[in-house]
Amino acid sequence: MIENKDIIGNSTENWKNINENESEFNLLNSKISEKRELIYQGGGPIAIQKQHDKQRMTCRERIKYLLDSGEELFEIGTFAAYDMYKEYGNIASGGVVTGIGRIKNKECMIIANDATVKAGAYFEITLKKTLRAQEIAYKNNLPIIYLVDSAGVFLPLQDHVFPDENHFGKIFYNNAKISSKGITQIASVMGPCVAGGAYLPVMCDKYVIVEGASMFLAGPALVKAAIGQEIDQDTLGGANTHSSISGIADYHEKDDISAIDRIRTIIENINIDQNNIFNKKEDFISPRFKIRELNYLFNPKKLTTYDILEIIARIVDDSSFYEYKKNYGKTLVCGNASIGGIKVGIVANQKMHIKTNNSGIQLGGVIYSDSADKAARFVMNCNQDKIPILFIHDVNGFMVGKDAEWGGIAKDGAKLVNAVSNSVVPKISLVIGGSYGAGNYAMSGRSYNPNFLFSWPTAKIAVMGADQAAKTLTSIKTAKMSNLSEEKADEIYNAIKKDYEDQSDSRYGAARLWVDEIIFPNETRDKLSYALEVISNIEDISKPNYGVLQV
């Protein structure tokens, strides 16, 4: 038997500071777990009890019942709105739960208002999250289930929600576009559905309404103020009205359970295309190393070097990875592998410092001209070969200084950005460490429309590192201040650094949906494998066109 020469990775025997690294990782992971459990409680026990008193399930209870037995929600945006609206209370998950789950053995996107959080009202981040869920469904041809239970726009912040390009109206615009693409949309109105929000269920293919729920463009109080008519809520827009008089609703169900059963029946009776555009090898082999070892490869609190191949070895099938241009442009590692039986190209930042042929040193995590040039060509190869790309970020940015500028770093960086921008194969990004400046762009950050974007708790996303930013801003701020004591200068520096550290924290980015979800290192392979199965449902891959490339 011929030995596979592409096996990568080593045992942990020679890894440094394992106990310290694991301790710091576990502490960070525990903090994320604790916050996540609080988020799962929505508006809290009192709000949950009020929902139950109305004989209604909470949104997470509805989702659990909707999914096939034993299936879990592949949640998107758990940390949305985290610490963003403190003056208005806890807006857990942005007041809407979104994710992909299996219903009647079909993958579906679920968008469920959380009525325990401000009565399911829409904040700006609620809209952003809803639009992101619609975008994922549209890209990956997923049916969408809307579980509607919302009081509509959060009126104190209506100017953040109503008039702009990606505000409330974009949901209905997307409804129309998704429908025109032939993607099934099912809405179940299970509580209030008012004002502009009333268009959502009407623009779906199938509309279920539950007894006690209501839908209207204007509620009783507004109707009386506008035209002087007095009418109660149920008569105006209740389940009986819309199933027997207006004829808008397709199905009238007695309660949440019946409505969810109806949704499952509808899904079962639809022929939903499942493209499986990427061939999956069913008899794939698991990695040769334990996934939990990712928790102690490096220290999340310190700037440390590590070999990115050790991470790749614990994610890819059989720890097999054949590297592209292995001896050239070494600060970016490029190569081919499979995850869960699906072929992928991988572009990852190497954090080891590299000795060059001319006895120089290239810093780990920095993109140089040669590595940018290599990665651009590799991205093009993946498009030619029609395989999805996984970007693994731990990047400080592009190299700076005279040698870099004279060597054409801007030209080579632009080539990589062009290749990533015009890539037509699906892209998945995973941020495991820093993702700074233009390095974020080159590695397919949020602006470059990856199909999914995940981060570890260790991720830091910002224009630059906290230390560099604090030194730069302190220098600017103190330049105009005379007789400044060293203590005062340190105070200014520390305050700026803390702000940058807070703003580059993984939860800060996840709150603003800069990433789709924070995942733990030991979840990485399973999450990536599932994401690859989802993106396999895209319709086709068009021919790439890269336009003008700097050479």
Side-chain angles (χ1 to χ4, degrees):
M1 183 176 178
I2 299 174
E3 183 182 354
N4 186 343
K5 301 294 185 184
D6 295 319
I7 298 298
I8 59 170
N10 297 284
S11 70
T12 60
E13 293 174 359
N14 296 322
W15 289 12
K16 298 178 181 178
N17 306 314
I18 284 179
N19 292 335
E20 181 185 356
N21 294 350
E22 185 178 21
S23 176
E24 292 294 348
F25 248 112
N26 288 342
L27 182 61
L28 190 55
N29 290 343
S30 295
K31 288 179 180 178
I32 296 294
S33 290
E34 290 169 8
K35 295 299 182 183
R36 189 182 280 176
E37 289 302 318
L38 285 174
I39 289 169
Y40 288 162
Q41 295 178 30
I46 295 174
I48 290 171
Q49 187 58 52
K50 286 181 179 178
Q51 182 78 349
H52 288 163
D53 290 344
K54 297 174 185 175
Q55 304 303 307
R56 294 175 183 167
M57 303 164 78
T58 66
C59 69
R60 292 189 181 275
E61 291 167 346
R62 289 166 175 164
I63 291 170
K64 184 177 180 179
Y65 186 75
L66 176 62
L67 297 178
D68 292 347
S69 179
E71 293 293 327
E72 293 185 0
L73 185 70
F74 185 80
E75 192 158 350
I76 302 295
T78 302
F79 278 83
Y82 176 78
D83 273 354
M84 282 183 66
Y85 299 99
K86 292 181 180 179
E87 66 271 38
Y88 297 106
N90 175 29
I91 314 302
S93 271
V96 63
V97 175
T98 61
I100 303 167
R102 190 162 292 163
I103 304 170
K104 291 294 180 178
N105 208 33
K106 298 178 177 73
E107 307 302 333
C108 299
M109 174 62 74
I110 300 166
I111 301 174
N113 299 116
D114 189 345
T116 71
V117 179
K118 297 296 179 184
Y122 281 82
F123 291 72
E124 187 171 18
I125 201 68
T126 319
L127 292 173
K128 188 175 183 180
K129 184 173 174 179
T130 302
L131 296 177
R132 175 60 180 155
Q134 289 182 319
E135 178 189 13
I136 291 172
Y138 185 85
K139 277 186 176 181
N140 300 295
N141 290 301
L142 300 174
I144 307 179
I145 315 297
Y146 302 92
L147 304 181
V148 184
D149 193 350
S150 170
V153 167
F154 185 66
L155 291 176
L157 296 175
Q158 67 84 26
D159 60 321
H160 295 190
V161 176
F162 171 67
D164 212 344
E165 180 181 7
N166 286 315
H167 282 177
F168 213 90
K170 196 58 173 267
I171 294 176
F172 317 128
Y173 174 90
N174 286 348
N175 285 141
K177 290 293 186 180
I178 291 165
S179 181
S180 72
K181 195 181 179 186
I183 298 173
T184 298
Q185 297 177 95
I186 302 168
S188 180
V189 176
M190 312 177 93
C193 178
V194 301
Y199 288 109
L200 186 146
V202 181
M203 297 188 74
C204 289
D205 304 287
K206 309 290 189 292
Y207 176 3
V208 180
I209 192 167
V210 176
E211 190 68 36
S214 56
M215 183 203 80
F216 32 66
L217 298 180
L222 185 54
V223 167
K224 183 176 181 181
I227 62 174
Q229 184 181 77
E230 293 193 12
I231 188 169
D232 66 85
Q233 180 171 294
D234 198 51
T235 304
L236 178 65
N240 187 63
T241 294
H242 287 309
S243 60
S244 303
I245 300 173
S246 74
I248 292 174
D250 302 317
Y251 305 95
H252 177 177
E253 302 297 339
K254 64 178 181 178
D255 54 26
D256 283 6
I257 294 290
S258 298
I260 295 170
D261 286 340
R262 178 63 61 195
I263 294 170
R264 289 179 55 80
T265 300
I266 292 170
I267 290 289
E268 188 175 28
N269 286 277
I270 296 174
N271 288 323
I272 297 172
D273 292 334
Q274 292 182 294
N275 297 317
N276 296 322
I277 195 167
F278 302 120
N279 295 326
K280 180 177 180 179
K281 183 181 179 183
E282 295 296 341
D283 59 342
F284 60 84
I285 301 171
S286 297
R288 300 183 178 213
F289 306 96
K290 296 173 183 176
I291 190 77
R292 63 180 173 79
E293 292 172 351
L294 294 178
N295 283 298
Y296 41 88
L297 177 58
F298 62 87
N299 189 322
K301 280 197 168 183
K302 296 179 181 178
L303 292 173
T304 55
T305 60
Y306 61 88
D307 188 351
I308 188 63
L309 292 174
E310 297 295 348
I311 290 179
I312 296 172
R314 286 155 178 80
I315 294 174
V316 302
D317 296 348
D318 196 29
S319 301
S320 179
F321 177 73
Y322 62 99
E323 194 171 343
Y324 175 77
K325 293 185 185 290
K326 183 177 182 178
N327 298 315
Y328 180 75
K330 294 182 180 181
T331 62
L332 274 176
V333 170
C334 303
N336 296 81
S338 294
I339 299 176
I342 297 177
K343 299 177 183 68
V344 294
I346 296 176
V347 179
N349 301 111
Q350 176 59 278
K351 290 296 284 187
M352 302 282 287
H353 299 321
I354 307 296
K355 289 184 179 180
T356 63
N357 290 330
N358 61 2
S359 301
I361 294 289
Q362 288 188 340
L363 301 175
V366 176
I367 302 175
Y368 291 78
S369 283
D370 54 355
S371 50
D373 187 67
K374 176 177 81 170
R377 172 63 188 274
F378 181 74
V379 168
M380 292 177 183
N381 282 359
C382 290
N383 279 264
Q384 184 78 359
D385 299 337
K386 293 182 168 56
I387 58 172
I389 307 172
L390 169 64
F391 293 86
I392 304 178
H393 302 217
D394 194 351
V395 57
N396 298 331
F398 286 88
M399 190 57 188
V400 297
K402 187 186 78 171
D403 290 345
E405 296 292 351
W406 287 23
I409 186 65
K411 164 178 65 72
D412 294 314
K415 189 188 304 181
L416 176 54
V417 169
N418 187 319
V420 173
S421 300
N422 288 302
S423 177
V424 295
V425 296
K427 304 186 294 288
I428 298 174
S429 281
L430 170 66
V431 185
I432 64 175
S435 187
Y436 296 120
N440 174 272
Y441 304 157
M443 297 295 290
S444 192
R446 176 58 88 209
S447 300
Y448 292 78
N449 294 325
N451 292 59
F452 290 100
L453 202 168
F454 305 112
S455 77
W456 284 3
T458 49
K460 296 183 183 299
I461 302 174
V463 70
M464 65 179 71
D467 185 56
Q468 298 96 311
K471 286 178 179 176
T472 302
L473 292 172
T474 299
S475 176
I476 294 170
K477 189 169 185 177
T478 58
K480 299 177 182 179
M481 302 171 69
S482 58
N483 301 321
L484 188 68
S485 67
E486 186 175 336
E487 290 79 7
K488 183 62 178 177
D490 288 343
E491 182 183 325
I492 293 170
Y493 167 82
N494 290 328
I496 294 172
K497 185 178 179 183
K498 184 180 184 306
D499 282 345
Y500 255 77
E501 287 174 339
D502 290 345
Q503 290 172 18
S504 47
D505 184 274
S506 60
R507 289 163 292 185
Y508 188 95
R512 289 151 182 81
L513 298 178
W514 297 349
V515 300
D516 291 318
E517 190 71 359
I518 300 173
I519 64 174
F520 297 126
N522 59 0
E523 297 177 313
T524 303
R525 177 173 160 84
D526 289 341
K527 296 291 187 184
L528 293 177
S529 181
Y530 187 84
L532 286 166
E533 288 195 35
V534 170
I535 65 177
S536 291
N537 203 43
I538 63 172
E539 281 184 338
D540 54 33
I541 297 173
S542 59
K543 184 178 179 180
N545 182 354
Y546 299 103
V548 176
L549 280 173
Q550 289 275 2
V551 294

